């Protein structure tokens, strides 16, 4: 420890006090204050060894309130955060798609906006029978189709990344078969998967499950691994796997081209609804979901819950600290 100069004042009176008596020091310093007086209350020194505040006050002085930023200075920051969040949501979570045709009536109507789950495929889960999926054009299926003109809302959502660009070529259909399945259509139906007839109330009223034509409506195919077979719910008005069997994939859609599963109709409000898998695809013997696939389906929800718990606890702790303070 270094030497301590008791009673010395910085810059004045130091030499006069050195070696003098206590009484002379007291006399030079002026009258002593009482034990109950608080130094610094009237501009005195620090309390209990604490340094004075910047404004010369003691420990009890309230800190100065920091002036909040102006809204216009914070606006670019808010916009930047919103764009980053939109990009992350679009890339990893969900994305909105607009329905451009009638091929999925009456499940989906032209002009509907659906939200597509893009998170689950990141965990290795593949499309299942009965799901409505969005996928990139596998091999020029949309040749000759006009490019839709986006409305102002679609332009804004495309700009922030929550909707795909109108130049992207994506389709939406229902998964009928997955790798290893045998799918068959004879006459007007019913459609069969692995020998099991499907009961399809989702098929457009007045349509038959199978189309009687010589261009692909009558078929029997086996789906290779890593591919899916898709069909529209408006069977007589859908250019799907049946009518693209001459392409490089024999009408199949590679799983790698699947963007994600459509999970809900988000717009218009009057048509808000979920897009569940029809019960007929769950019938015994049609094919069972492997335990690994089932676990992968649940994985995103479990991870989301696990990620939310620390955030909730942190927020509660902050609120508690504020109350104590």
């Amino acid at each position: 420890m270094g030497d301590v100069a008791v009673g010395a004042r910085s810059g004045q009176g130091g030499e006069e006090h050195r070696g003098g008596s206590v009484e002379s020091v007291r006399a030079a310093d002026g009258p002593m204050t009482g034990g109950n007086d608080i130094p610094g209350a009237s501009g005195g020194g620090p309390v209990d060894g604490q340094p004075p505040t910047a404004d010369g006050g003691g420990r009890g002085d309230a800190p100065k309130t920091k002036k909040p930023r102006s809204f216009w200075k914070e606006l670019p920051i808010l916009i930047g955060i919103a764009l980053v969040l939109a990009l992350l949501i679009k890339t990893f979570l969900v994305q909105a798609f607009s329905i451009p045709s009638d091929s999925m009536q009456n499940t989906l109507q032209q002009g509907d906006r659906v939200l597509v789950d893009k998170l689950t495929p990141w965990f290795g889960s593949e499309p299942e029978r009965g799901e409505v999926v969005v996928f990139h054009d596998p091999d020029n299926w949309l040749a000759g189709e006009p490019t839709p003109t986006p409305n102002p809302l679609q332009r804004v959502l495309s700009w922030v990344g929550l909707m795909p660009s109108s130049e992207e070529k994506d389709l939406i259909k229902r998964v009928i078969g997955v790798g290893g399945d045998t799918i068959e259509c004879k006459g007007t139906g019913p459609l069969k998967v692995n020998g099991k007839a499907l009961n399809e109330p989702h098929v457009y009223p007045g349509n038959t499950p199978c189309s009687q034509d010589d261009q692909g409506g009558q078929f029997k195919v086996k789906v290779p691994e890593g591919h899916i077979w898709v069909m529209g719910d408006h069977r007589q008005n859908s250019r799907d796997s049946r009518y693209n069997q001459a392409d490089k994939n024999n009408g199949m859609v590679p799983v790698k081209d699947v963007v994600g599963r459509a999970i809900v109709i988000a717009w218009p409000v009057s048509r808000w609804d979920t897009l569940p898998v029809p019960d007929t695809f769950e019938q015994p013997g049609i094919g069972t979901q492997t335990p690994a696939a089932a676990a992968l389906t649940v994985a995103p929800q479990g991870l989301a819950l696990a990620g939310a718990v620390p955030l909730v606890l942190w927020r509660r702790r902050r609120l508690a600290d504020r109350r104590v303070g």
Side-chain angles (χ1 to χ4, degrees), residues 33-263:
T33 58
N36 294 328
D37 293 337
I38 301 175
S42 58
V47 181
D48 296 331
Q50 296 294 327
T53 57
D55 59 356
R59 180 192 296 173
D61 292 331
K64 287 185 177 180
T65 304
K66 189 176 180 180
K67 186 178 180 181
R69 287 185 181 178
S70 117
F71 171 75
W72 296 110
K73 287 183 179 179
E74 290 190 346
L75 184 59
I77 299 174
L78 295 175
I79 293 175
I81 293 172
L83 290 176
V84 170
L85 288 176
L87 180 61
L88 291 174
I89 290 171
K90 175 255 183 184
T91 304
F92 299 108
L93 300 179
V94 295
Q95 188 173 11
F97 284 81
S98 179
I99 306 304
S101 70
D102 297 326
S103 67
M104 281 296 293
Q105 284 182 318
N106 274 335
T107 304
L108 298 172
Q109 302 288 352
Q110 189 172 162
D112 284 353
R113 269 70 163 179
V114 297
L115 295 183
V116 173
D117 167 25
K118 300 179 69 176
L119 178 63
T120 305
W122 280 84
F123 292 88
S125 180
E126 296 188 354
E128 296 289 332
R129 302 176 197 87
E131 294 179 348
V132 177
V133 297
V134 171
F135 55 94
H136 300 310
D137 189 336
D139 188 24
N140 216 21
W141 285 20
L142 294 173
E145 293 288 335
T147 302
T149 303
N151 59 37
L153 176 61
Q154 288 174 304
R155 289 194 186 97
V156 172
L157 293 177
S158 297
W159 183 72
V160 298
L162 291 179
M163 283 194 72
S165 167
S166 59
E167 297 177 0
E168 291 184 27
K169 294 186 176 181
D170 297 316
L171 299 96
I172 184 166
K173 307 289 180 188
R174 190 179 299 277
V175 178
I176 303 299
V178 297
D181 287 346
T182 297
I183 307 166
E184 182 178 5
C185 251
K186 286 185 178 179
T188 58
L191 177 64
K192 293 182 179 180
V193 177
N194 297 327
K196 298 290 183 179
L198 299 182
N199 176 26
E200 301 183 280
H202 50 272
V203 170
Y204 185 75
N207 278 193
T208 55
C210 298
S211 301
Q212 289 184 293
D213 58 52
D214 57 359
Q215 299 167 10
Q218 304 289 294
F219 62 88
K220 183 175 182 178
V221 297
K222 185 175 178 65
V223 184
E225 294 296 332
H227 293 74
I228 56 176
W229 179 273
V230 298
M231 296 171 67
D233 288 354
H234 196 163
R235 292 290 158 80
Q236 274 79 60
N237 188 24
S238 176
R239 185 169 178 80
D240 45 42
S241 289
R242 298 170 293 170
Y243 300 106
N244 288 282
Q245 295 185 63
D247 73 3
K248 66 181 183 181
N249 301 303
N250 300 315
M252 315 293 174
V253 177
V255 170
K256 65 179 179 62
D257 288 338
V258 176
V259 176
R261 175 187 173 185
I263 53 176

